Amino acid sequence: MGLSKYFSTTVYIVIAGLALSGARLVSKNQEKPALFVTKQQSTLNLQNNFWQYFHLGQKRLASSLIWISTILESDVDHYKNKDLNSWMFLRFNTISFLEPKFYENYAFGGVYLSIVKDDLPGASVIYDKGLSIYPNDYSLLKDAGFHYYFEVGDYEKALPIYKKLVQINLPSPQIVSTLARLESNIGKKEDALNLLRDRYQQLNDKNSIIALKTYSSMYSLKAELDLECLNSTDSISKTCSLVDLDGERYILAQGKYKAVKDWIPFRIKTKKKKGPQ
């Protein structure tokens, strides 16, 4: 009986040893998953209510420290939620609370959130705050206009920004074209045509790519306006132009006027939606 007990104990020890050896072998040969904690998960952000009462009169110092740490720790991970809770937005927003006139916070923060982090709601908040402090800053207006027009697709917000861009500085052809498309999109085709015509007249080289593209857009707008007038039911009571921008007469075919050349309606160019990240 003692021998049987000894034998059983030995078997148990051998089995336990084999199990431990097998577990060690499996653990040694199997690659362990890497433990990774994102900045979104690890970053501590204090609410503005805290800073309102505990800044100890050192708002500028606190905002500078937050700014430096944010730039050093910045990441490129896209933030897919639309809840204004990305860690970088919270940092930029806190800085705007502590030091509202810190220009770089808006100039850099808006672009970074919009283009790099893909946090469009966060970028909108930062741009709106920046423009409330610097309403006539050309660079900030240009970035905010691009954000609302191309990234967000909020043409109502983009329109006054592009109008101001044209007013405060000699605009680039791209800005003029964008404003013209916005005007055309809301039904102000004549304003869009006049805007492009003024820009075209300012160009010295009428054979340049920019001039030819502007002329093509002008042709489309004039053709659309003229043909809408000519083909309307009460065109007799209106003064409609019978020639296109080239001076060629519109063609009447099967009871409907059309242009000699093919043309595409001058509208907003929408950006292709981003695929899954």
Side-chain angles (χ1 to χ4, degrees):
M1 187 171 182
L3 182 61
S4 176
K5 185 176 180 181
Y6 174 77
F7 179 76
S8 299
T9 301
T10 303
V11 170
Y12 288 146
I13 292 174
V14 172
I15 292 174
L18 291 174
L20 290 173
S21 299
R24 183 177 181 278
L25 182 62
V26 171
S27 176
K28 183 178 180 181
N29 294 331
Q30 184 159 356
E31 185 178 352
K32 300 178 181 63
L35 181 62
F36 178 74
V37 180
T38 65
K39 287 298 300 179
Q40 183 65 28
Q41 296 170 324
S42 63
T43 302
L44 173 65
N45 283 294
L46 301 175
Q47 295 184 354
N48 291 343
N49 290 337
F50 170 84
W51 292 110
Q52 184 174 0
Y53 299 105
F54 296 98
H55 56 78
L56 303 178
Q58 299 295 329
K59 285 187 176 182
R60 181 167 295 183
L61 174 62
S63 65
S64 298
L65 293 175
I66 295 173
W67 171 258
I68 293 171
S69 66
T70 302
I71 298 303
L72 291 175
E73 299 170 6
S74 58
D75 62 359
V76 296
D77 294 335
H78 285 193
Y79 188 72
K80 300 178 182 179
N81 298 329
K82 308 299 179 183
D83 54 4
L84 297 177
N85 198 42
S86 72
W87 77 271
M88 289 194 73
F89 162 72
L90 294 175
R91 291 282 185 88
F92 293 136
N93 195 44
T94 297
I95 293 171
S96 70
F97 171 77
L98 292 170
E99 187 59 36
K101 294 185 178 181
F102 184 30
Y103 174 80
E104 290 299 328
N105 184 54
Y106 310 112
F108 176 82
V111 173
Y112 203 91
L113 289 174
S114 179
I115 305 300
V116 180
K117 295 291 290 182
D118 205 25
D119 182 8
L120 303 185
S124 298
V125 171
I126 297 301
Y127 276 128
D128 288 347
K129 285 190 172 186
L131 291 177
S132 68
I133 304 295
Y134 302 99
N136 297 316
D137 184 83
Y138 188 80
S139 179
L140 197 58
L141 282 166
K142 186 170 65 174
D143 290 340
F146 180 91
H147 167 75
Y148 281 117
Y149 184 93
F150 292 100
E151 296 292 330
V152 180
D154 189 341
Y155 308 128
E156 185 177 348
K157 289 290 288 287
L159 179 58
I161 293 176
Y162 276 96
K163 281 185 175 180
K164 183 169 285 189
L165 281 169
V166 171
Q167 293 170 357
I168 67 175
N169 201 349
L170 182 62
S172 67
Q174 291 81 6
I175 290 177
V176 173
S177 177
T178 300
L179 176 57
R181 290 183 187 278
L182 288 166
E183 295 279 16
S184 177
N185 191 65
I186 62 175
K188 295 184 178 181
K189 299 184 184 69
E190 291 185 6
D191 291 344
L193 178 58
N194 291 331
L195 185 68
L196 290 177
R197 183 180 285 117
D198 290 343
R199 181 58 183 169
Y200 181 77
Q201 291 173 352
Q202 294 173 8
L203 298 173
N204 295 324
D205 184 3
K206 296 298 189 289
N207 293 318
S208 66
I209 295 177
I210 292 175
L212 293 175
K213 181 62 178 177
T214 302
Y215 188 88
S216 175
S217 300
M218 289 165 55
Y219 184 95
S220 296
L221 277 169
K222 187 177 188 306
E224 184 173 4
L225 285 167
D226 293 343
L227 294 177
E228 284 179 354
C229 179
L230 290 169
N231 292 319
S232 64
T233 55
D234 59 341
S235 61
I236 298 178
S237 62
K238 297 180 180 180
T239 304
C240 305
S241 175
L242 296 175
V243 296
D244 62 15
L245 195 63
D246 294 339
E248 300 288 338
R249 292 181 65 87
Y250 293 111
I251 302 171
L252 180 61
Q254 299 179 347
K256 188 174 182 180
Y257 285 92
K258 65 178 184 179
V260 177
K261 297 194 308 187
D262 293 332
W263 57 277
I264 300 173
F266 189 70
R267 294 292 185 272
I268 285 175
K269 292 182 178 179
T270 56
K271 185 179 179 180
K272 291 182 179 180
K273 294 185 177 179
K274 299 177 182 179
Q277 303 296 330

